[in-house]
């Protein structure tokens, strides 16, 4: 389930819509943090807070390869997704850049989870969280 530009653009647009269409980096950061809290709430009963935190940290690590200002915040993150450093870092970017990075982060998280548990289980676990970001039919697992 590799990320394609269309998916990232759709997520970035949904983030912008979620803050009233204004591309304000601080508000985008808040929207990304809210989505991450929803991911945490949906997945902690299944994976535990350490498991969710590990996927989140890995997502940040992967996204940081394209956005070098992200690695500095990784050191501050605990297993339980401390989102304040992420929000602060995103607030220092332009609104469009914050939306693109937030989209990259959320999509990377989703892809990592799908790699662990499969696309169809990922879609079921994240159905309520992912609804604002997705369109089209749910993903299907590839047969072996």
């Amino acid at each position: 389930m590799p990320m394609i530009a269309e998916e990232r653009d759709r997520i970035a647009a949904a983030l912008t819509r979620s803050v009233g269409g204004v591309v304000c980096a601080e508000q985008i950061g808040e929207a990304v943090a809210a989505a991450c809290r929803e991911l945490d709430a949906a997945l902690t009963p299944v994976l535990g807070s350490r498991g969710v935190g590990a996927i989140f940290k890995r997502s940040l690590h992967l996204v940081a390869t394209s956005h070098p200002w992200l690695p500095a915040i990784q050191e501050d993150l605990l297993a339980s997704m401390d989102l304040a450093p992420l929000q602060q870092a995103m607030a220092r970017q332009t609104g469009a850049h914050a939306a693109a990075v937030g989209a990259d982060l959320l999509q990377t998280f989703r892809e990592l989870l799908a790699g662990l548990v499969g696309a169809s289980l990922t879609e079921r676990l994240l159905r309520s969280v992912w609804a604002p970001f997705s369109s089209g039919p749910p993903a299907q697992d590839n047969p072996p």
Side-chain angles (χ1 to χ4, degrees):
M1 179 185 290
M3 182 170 35
I4 57 173
E6 291 174 7
E7 289 179 80
R8 191 200 72 185
D9 292 345
R10 185 173 49 245
I11 296 167
L15 287 169
T16 301
R17 280 192 312 275
S18 74
V19 296
V22 178
V23 185
C24 169
E26 187 173 333
Q27 290 177 327
I28 296 291
E30 290 171 10
V32 170
C36 288
R37 283 189 290 276
E38 289 180 37
L39 289 169
D40 188 37
L43 295 173
T44 294
V46 178
L47 302 175
S49 63
R50 292 175 63 109
V52 177
I55 295 171
F56 181 71
K57 283 183 178 181
R58 180 67 179 154
S59 299
L60 276 174
H61 174 74
L62 293 172
V63 172
T65 60
S66 301
H67 308 285
W69 51 269
L70 283 173
I73 65 170
Q74 287 181 314
E75 301 305 317
D76 298 335
L77 294 174
L78 304 173
S80 62
M81 288 185 24
D82 179 11
L83 298 168
L86 176 63
Q87 284 183 261
Q88 292 166 0
M90 290 184 82
R92 292 188 293 268
Q93 307 303 309
T94 65
H97 190 225
V101 171
D104 284 349
L105 179 63
L106 294 172
Q107 182 62 21
T108 299
F109 185 99
R110 181 175 169 235
E111 289 173 2
L112 288 173
L113 181 63
L116 292 171
V117 302
S120 63
L121 181 55
T122 296
E123 295 305 316
R124 281 184 293 211
L125 290 170
L126 300 182
R127 185 173 290 136
S128 64
V129 177
W130 207 252
F133 303 115
S134 65
S135 66
Q140 298 294 316
D141 284 332
N142 294 332

